[in-house]
Amino acid sequence: MDTLYFVIIGIVSLLLGYTIGYFVKIKVLQRKAEELLKKTQNEAEMLKQQKMLEAKEHFLSQKAKFDEETKQREEKVLKQETRLKQFELSLNATKEDLQKKLKLYELKKKEVQTLKENLSIQIEAVEKKKYEIEQLYLEQAKKLESIAGITPQQAKEQIIESMKEEAKAEAQAYISEIIEQAKLSANEEAKKIVIKTIQRVGSDVAANNSITVFHIENDEIKGRIIGREGRNIRTLEAATGVEIIVDDTPEAIVLSSFDPLRREVARLSLNQLVIDGRIHPARIEDIVAKTKKQLEEEILEVGKKTCLDLGIHNMHPQLMRFVGKMKYRSSYGQNLLQHSIEVAKLCGIMAAELGLNPKIAKRAGLLHDIGKVPEEETETPHALYGMQLAEKYNEKQQVCNAIGSHHDEIEMDNLYAPLVQVCDAISGARPGARREIVETYAKRMQDLEQLAMSYKGVTKSFAIQAGRELRVIVSSDDISDKESDILAYEIAHRIQKEMTYPGQIKITVIREKRAINYAK
């Protein structure tokens, strides 16, 4: 029993110890929980205050932003109100101006009506006077016929014959006076426009010949190009259509053809073959075929670049190809593409000076000679053929007419047509632009002098300044001063009608009176 008692006592003591320890732990945990709660409350309070401050700052920034936007809107509204007021004032002023013009129109209308009535009365009076004068004329004619003994028709013929030369001289003097008055205004302005245009355009001139010289490093390559029994050179000539001349000229081979495109194909092919080193008929044909393809791509690229440089857009690719082909064509030694670019620039500048559309003018100037690069042989004049191509590829009617009429094959129907014609003449006639065959040049000089010598009273004639001026010396006994004016006009008119020439020709008639006597 004692043992049981002590066991129970031990168990109770143990339980009591555990209970006390448990309550102590609970107390400690409660204290820690209270501290944690207090700390959490403090942190929550601080976070609350921080968030409130952030919210307050955000509110103030949003309020400032809103105030700024409101202020800007108010300023815009004020500006709009000011503009509306100004517009209203302008409308009122315009309305008052229109009302004044309407009143003035009504007054003018009344004045015109009054003038019509007065004119009708005056016309009736004039008709009456005319009838009276006709009656008086008939009476006087009868009296004159009875006195003179000749009919009115005979008298009329005598008067006409006697006054014919005088009237002709007076008419020429009157024409000269009108021309001089026109020159003081229109000619001066036209010269200013043309001079400004020419001064603002400068183009390089490339004089192409019918041959191209291909340079080589040494003469040993000539034998390889000729090949065994000449088979390589024959294959190259057949593939390119160019005559290849291999002579004693050191380090040079001559490519001869009137087609610059073929010469370029031959030159590029030869260059590729010489670099590659493999020269035989099969390789030659392969290289020539590749070169033609590359050149075709280059032609299209040149056409695109030219249109881009001139600011011309939306052109048909085939027309761009024609433009690129002009790089390998020449006319009187002048490169056709350079000439067309120059004409396009001149047209654009001159159109701007005259208040026309420069883009249309440039387009017409660039395309005016595309008829010179046909795909196939044709007997149609190049201007008309170029117009047909432009119409085929949907160019504007103004551009088509300017192309077709720049050599007067068809009638001009818009202002761009004479513009292209003038700029074409400027580009082709300027010094150094074109080469001219000596025989043709000499023949034109001779024809000018012979034309002047065919007139009565002309003693000498001289074509000077490369055919730009014709000086005609007349006899003072046979030709008077008034007749000199008539002679200059007739020679100029005949040259325009019968001869073809670049630019213009100045005709100067010189009449010199010499009084000779001898002192003995």
Side-chain angles (χ1 to χ4, degrees), residues 182-335:
K183 284 180 180 179
L184 292 175
S185 55
N187 198 27
E188 185 175 352
E189 291 299 321
K191 284 181 179 178
K192 285 181 181 178
I193 291 173
V194 173
I195 290 169
K196 285 180 181 178
T197 303
I198 295 173
Q199 286 175 342
R200 289 168 63 184
V201 173
S203 298
D204 295 332
V205 176
N208 293 333
N209 300 315
S210 61
I211 62 170
T212 298
V213 179
F214 179 73
H215 296 281
I216 55 179
E217 294 181 358
N218 55 68
D219 289 342
E220 294 178 1
I221 299 175
K222 290 183 179 180
R224 296 172 60 194
I225 292 173
I226 295 171
R228 184 180 297 176
E229 298 177 356
R231 63 178 185 175
N232 288 348
I233 195 170
R234 284 199 301 272
T235 303
L236 191 57
E237 287 180 340
T240 59
V242 174
E243 183 182 359
I244 301 174
I245 303 171
V246 181
D247 53 17
D248 296 335
T249 306
E251 298 180 356
I253 294 173
V254 177
L255 309 177
S256 177
S257 174
F258 287 104
D259 189 337
L261 195 60
R262 293 181 180 178
R263 292 205 311 272
E264 184 67 10
V265 170
R267 186 186 69 82
L268 294 174
S269 300
L270 263 177
N271 185 56
Q272 188 66 28
L273 287 167
V274 170
I275 293 172
D276 185 52
R278 294 177 293 168
I279 306 176
H280 54 82
R283 183 63 179 166
I284 289 170
E285 291 175 355
D286 185 40
I287 290 292
V288 169
K290 288 181 180 179
T291 303
K292 286 181 179 179
K293 186 178 179 181
Q294 291 173 1
L295 196 60
E296 190 68 27
E297 292 174 357
E298 183 185 346
I299 285 170
L300 187 58
E301 191 63 31
V302 168
K304 288 180 180 178
K305 185 178 182 300
T306 301
C307 293
L308 187 63
D309 292 343
L310 292 173
I312 298 172
H313 306 289
N314 301 323
M315 183 177 286
H316 195 280
Q318 191 62 27
L319 288 180
M320 288 186 183
R321 182 171 168 273
F322 284 126
V323 171
K325 284 183 71 176
M326 288 195 290
K327 178 182 177 182
Y328 301 101
R329 291 289 185 273
S330 62
S331 178
Y332 297 99
Q334 186 180 26
N335 183 271

Side-chain angles (χ1 to χ4, degrees), residues 117-185:
E117 293 174 357
N118 293 336
L119 186 61
S120 299
I121 296 170
Q122 291 177 4
I123 288 172
E124 291 178 0
V126 168
E127 290 292 337
K128 187 176 180 181
K129 288 288 185 183
K130 183 179 178 182
Y131 178 74
E132 292 176 357
I133 289 170
E134 286 178 354
Q135 295 298 323
L136 184 62
Y137 173 77
L138 291 173
E139 292 177 3
Q140 293 296 327
K142 289 179 181 179
K143 290 181 180 178
L144 285 172
E145 186 176 352
S146 62
I147 294 170
I150 58 175
T151 63
Q153 184 64 30
Q154 292 173 340
K156 183 179 179 182
E157 290 176 358
Q158 289 180 6
I159 293 171
I160 290 173
E161 189 64 30
S162 62
M163 296 182 67
K164 185 176 181 180
E165 293 299 326
E166 184 178 355
K168 188 175 181 180
E170 289 179 358
Q172 182 59 39
Y174 183 65
I175 290 170
S176 300
E177 184 179 353
I178 292 174
I179 291 172
E180 290 300 323
Q181 289 176 355
K183 284 180 180 179
L184 292 175
S185 55

Side-chain angles (χ1 to χ4, degrees), residues 23 39 81 94 111 121 151 173 199 227 229 367 382 384 506 514:
F23 278 110
K39 184 180 178 181
E81 289 179 354
T94 306
E111 291 179 2
I121 296 170
T151 63
Q199 286 175 342
E229 298 177 356
L367 298 175
H382 77 272
L384 297 180
K506 178 182 178 182
R514 294 188 181 184

Side-chain angles (χ1 to χ4, degrees), residues 36-187:
L36 183 62
L37 180 62
K38 188 181 290 185
K39 184 180 178 181
T40 305
Q41 286 177 347
N42 290 335
E43 288 178 356
E45 188 65 29
M46 289 175 65
L47 183 62
K48 178 182 176 183
Q49 289 178 0
Q50 185 179 355
K51 291 296 180 182
M52 288 182 67
L53 286 172
E54 289 178 358
K56 188 175 180 181
E57 289 176 359
H58 182 68
F59 171 75
L60 290 174
S61 65
Q62 291 295 324
K63 184 174 180 297
K65 186 177 180 181
F66 176 76
D67 292 340
E68 183 66 24
E69 290 178 354
T70 305
K71 185 178 179 182
Q72 290 178 357
R73 288 174 183 170
E74 288 177 353
E75 289 178 355
K76 287 182 180 179
V77 170
L78 288 173
K79 287 181 180 178
Q80 291 291 340
E81 289 179 354
T82 305
R83 288 177 183 173
L84 287 172
K85 286 180 181 178
Q86 292 177 352
F87 184 67
E88 186 178 358
L89 292 172
S90 175
L91 283 177
N92 291 333
T94 306
K95 183 179 178 183
E96 291 177 359
D97 189 30
L98 288 173
Q99 288 176 348
K100 290 179 181 178
K101 287 182 178 179
L102 185 61
K103 290 179 181 178
L104 183 62
Y105 172 75
E106 292 294 336
L107 291 173
K108 292 289 184 182
K109 188 176 180 182
K110 290 179 181 178
E111 291 179 2
V112 168
Q113 189 65 31
T114 305
L115 287 172
K116 280 184 177 180
E117 293 174 357
N118 293 336
L119 186 61
S120 299
I121 296 170
Q122 291 177 4
I123 288 172
E124 291 178 0
V126 168
E127 290 292 337
K128 187 176 180 181
K129 288 288 185 183
K130 183 179 178 182
Y131 178 74
E132 292 176 357
I133 289 170
E134 286 178 354
Q135 295 298 323
L136 184 62
Y137 173 77
L138 291 173
E139 292 177 3
Q140 293 296 327
K142 289 179 181 179
K143 290 181 180 178
L144 285 172
E145 186 176 352
S146 62
I147 294 170
I150 58 175
T151 63
Q153 184 64 30
Q154 292 173 340
K156 183 179 179 182
E157 290 176 358
Q158 289 180 6
I159 293 171
I160 290 173
E161 189 64 30
S162 62
M163 296 182 67
K164 185 176 181 180
E165 293 299 326
E166 184 178 355
K168 188 175 181 180
E170 289 179 358
Q172 182 59 39
Y174 183 65
I175 290 170
S176 300
E177 184 179 353
I178 292 174
I179 291 172
E180 290 300 323
Q181 289 176 355
K183 284 180 180 179
L184 292 175
S185 55
N187 198 27

